[in-house]
Amino acid sequence: ANYGAEASLSLINASNWRNVKATSYAKEATKFQKEDKELSITEQIITNYYFLLLSREAILLNQDLVNSSDSLLEAAEARLQNGLVETLEYNRVKSVSLETKQQLEESKGAFEKNLNNLKTLCGIPESDTLILTASIAQSLQKTTPGTLNISTEVLPRYKMLQSKNYQALEESKR
């Protein structure tokens, strides 16, 4: 007997299909987010490496300044004792000497900070020794200045945001 009732089963459930597409976009976004984080950490390591090189160069320059100011201070002391210079002028030279010593200590502190930051980013314990053999001059000789031609579409952050936009679009269709 046929009572006029009919059962139908749709082969494609549109809501489930959108859920699957949204989930695949979410997976892509997660993958690109991971790539973006890796790129960001690499950039931080490179930046800290060059900060470390620069702070070491600053220590060398400030050490030269301290040596020069010590020589000037010795000469000013001798001139003060011989009455060839006034106390005010001697105090100015002494002040410059103290300032250069302070700058040297600040440079040493910056070097230690940059060294510890680099160790942390590279997963090296702070108690381990990291020997820096390169210098800014060597680094500049090895690299040639040029233009960086990168399309934003190839960057992980762009791909991640694009995937999140597609995911949001699919979720809004539900």
Side-chain angles (χ1 to χ4, degrees), residues 122-134:
C122 293
I124 300 170
E126 283 189 24
S127 58
D128 285 359
T129 303
L130 182 64
I131 299 172
L132 193 62
T133 59

Side-chain angles (χ1 to χ4, degrees), residues 78-86:
R79 295 182 93 192
L80 180 67
Q81 290 172 356
N82 293 330
L84 299 173
V85 72
E86 293 182 21

Side-chain angles (χ1 to χ4, degrees), residues 139-155:
S139 296
L140 292 175
Q141 287 174 354
K142 290 179 184 176
T143 59
T144 56
T147 307
L148 189 60
N149 294 319
I150 295 180
S151 171
T152 55
E153 287 84 17
V154 300
L155 294 174

